[in-house]
Amino acid sequence: MGQMNRRTVRDLRRGNRSTLLRQLYFQGPVSRQELGALTGLSSGSVSNVVGELLADGLVEEAGSVESDGGRPRTLLRVAPGSGHLIGVDVGETHVRVELFDLTLTELARWEHPLTPGGLEREPEPVVGHILTGLDAVVAKSGAEPGKVIGVGVGVPGVVEQGDEALVHGPTAGRDAVPLERLLRTGTELPLFIDNGATAQGQAEMWFGAGRGADNAVIALIGSGVGAAIVTAGMPYRGATSSAGEWGHTVVQVGGRACRCGAVGCLEAYVGAQAVLDRYGRRAGGVYGGAEEDAAAAGVGAGAGAGAGAGVGACLGAGEDQQAAFAAIVGAAGTEARAREVLEETAAYLGAGIADLINLFNPERIILGGWAGLLLGGRMLPRIRAATAAYALHRPYAQTEIGLAELGPDAVALGAATLPLAHFLATGRAR
């Protein structure tokens, strides 16, 4: 019985430490008195735990404020330099590694481009790039490895959490890649691996457009299409962590072929490459049939002078997917084909968002990802109108549809929130 009581007291202190640390992180700087009001803990408990956090160097004083008739109140905050976080974005076209302080201020960055369809995108080379990037950002920032709280890795595909993290990438034809085990061969830093959309969604909920909402969907569009679903303030993962594959819901029975092997998926209509493909076929006079599988190099073929030719020039000169996509969005104001393709894309996207509203009844739909922000920046009213046409009236009326706030490339930032979440839950840096 005594052993049980000791364990219970220890667990209680750990819970109090986590509770106070979360409040200091998200609400700070605050005083001890304010911490008591925010957490409901007694002044004695607050004083004891704050004393521990100060002694451990995780919390620091941040000035003072006048009190009503008494001594000034000392303000407290999480110490930014008390630990470091690393976020890794394994994207379709790059591996990006960023190192942050504890308040997510970026201190160092490393990036390596990946050739689409090349051998560099196989698991072993990607692991090599990640490990190189970890060493590079630690060296560049001068951070002590022992003060790195952890490494968050955001990847495309389904991440199965168990004794070790396994990555399933249906669009890349890979199954059960033991990414955690492969990374363990080159680093002893704590690892936290998750789907990139889920990680970026957590960042938007904590620091971006999702703040204050308990039920939201962060819909991300880039080369691929995914979503982070948040219910009652927690990410919804499903039975085996595959929830959120919104891009592979069907919007057209018997429709365009998708990279996952199915047909008619949302990604096959609103993903960046899908938009480029459809623009290329329209520009070249091709609308369907066997040409549906034509290469993206056809984008801009047959386009005349002006904006359409500019889109073709992007790919013809070897520019990346983002530049070509941005060119289509920019051309929509003056070029009929670009406008037609974007209108069609907005319609499909509205149908996909309506499905999210009808299924999950969120407070907010947050549209992000580099392609999503480009589309939303020009077409948001059209996307909202298309959503209204397909969604149930009352749930749609109760849902805000807006743009993400953390920028087009926030996966690495989101990945860094994975070790941050562990830190806040445990109250300890390592």
Side-chain angles (χ1 to χ4, degrees), residues 182-281:
L182 293 171
L183 288 170
R184 275 279 159 255
T185 63
T187 183
E188 296 181 355
L189 295 173
L191 295 171
F192 303 85
I193 301 171
D194 210 335
N195 173 267
T198 300
Q200 187 170 348
Q202 179 164 269
E204 282 289 341
M205 292 299 293
W206 285 5
F207 310 110
R211 285 172 296 182
D214 288 326
N215 298 277
V217 179
I218 299 88
L220 301 170
I221 303 174
S223 299
V225 176
I229 302 161
V230 178
T231 61
M234 299 295 292
Y236 177 74
R237 297 182 177 277
T240 57
S241 299
S242 69
E245 291 296 325
W246 175 53
H248 301 293
T249 56
V250 175
V251 293
Q252 177 67 62
V253 174
R256 298 186 73 235
C258 179
R259 295 184 301 168
C260 72
V263 295
C265 293
L266 179 66
E267 183 176 302
Y269 292 89
V270 306
Q273 191 58 55
V275 175
L276 294 177
D277 288 351
R278 287 190 292 111
Y279 178 88
R281 280 186 291 277

Side-chain angles (χ1 to χ4, degrees), residues 8-168:
T8 301
V9 170
R10 186 166 58 247
D11 290 344
L12 180 62
R13 290 184 67 83
R14 184 183 300 119
N16 289 347
R17 184 180 174 102
S18 173
T19 298
L20 286 173
L21 198 56
R22 287 185 67 88
Q23 292 297 330
L24 284 164
Y25 192 86
F26 291 109
Q27 305 297 332
V30 292
S31 67
R32 289 172 175 81
Q33 290 86 346
E34 289 172 309
L35 282 173
L38 288 167
T39 63
L41 296 175
S42 69
S43 59
S45 294
V46 170
S47 180
N48 288 337
V49 175
V50 166
E52 292 177 4
L53 294 172
L54 286 166
D56 291 344
L58 298 178
V59 169
E60 64 185 15
E61 295 183 354
S64 62
V65 293
E66 295 295 328
S67 61
D68 296 332
R71 296 169 57 190
R73 295 180 178 180
T74 300
L75 297 178
L76 304 166
R77 67 179 181 186
V78 171
S82 61
H84 295 94
L85 305 160
I86 296 178
V88 179
D89 172 13
V90 180
E92 300 264 355
T93 59
H94 61 259
V95 173
R96 180 181 297 124
V97 183
E98 299 177 33
L99 184 142
F100 306 86
D101 70 13
L102 203 50
T103 57
L104 290 176
T105 298
E106 183 183 313
L107 303 179
R109 173 186 291 221
W110 177 92
E111 184 167 343
H112 183 85
L114 299 177
T115 303
L119 294 177
E120 273 194 310
R121 297 185 63 212
E122 294 298 317
E124 288 77 10
V126 167
V127 167
H129 296 321
I130 294 173
L131 294 175
T132 298
L134 294 181
D135 291 340
V137 295
V138 169
K140 183 176 181 180
S141 66
E144 299 176 25
K147 293 183 69 174
V148 175
I149 293 171
V151 178
V153 184
V155 297
V158 176
V159 180
E160 183 179 350
Q161 306 288 353
D163 293 336
E164 63 174 342
L166 301 176
V167 180
H168 306 272

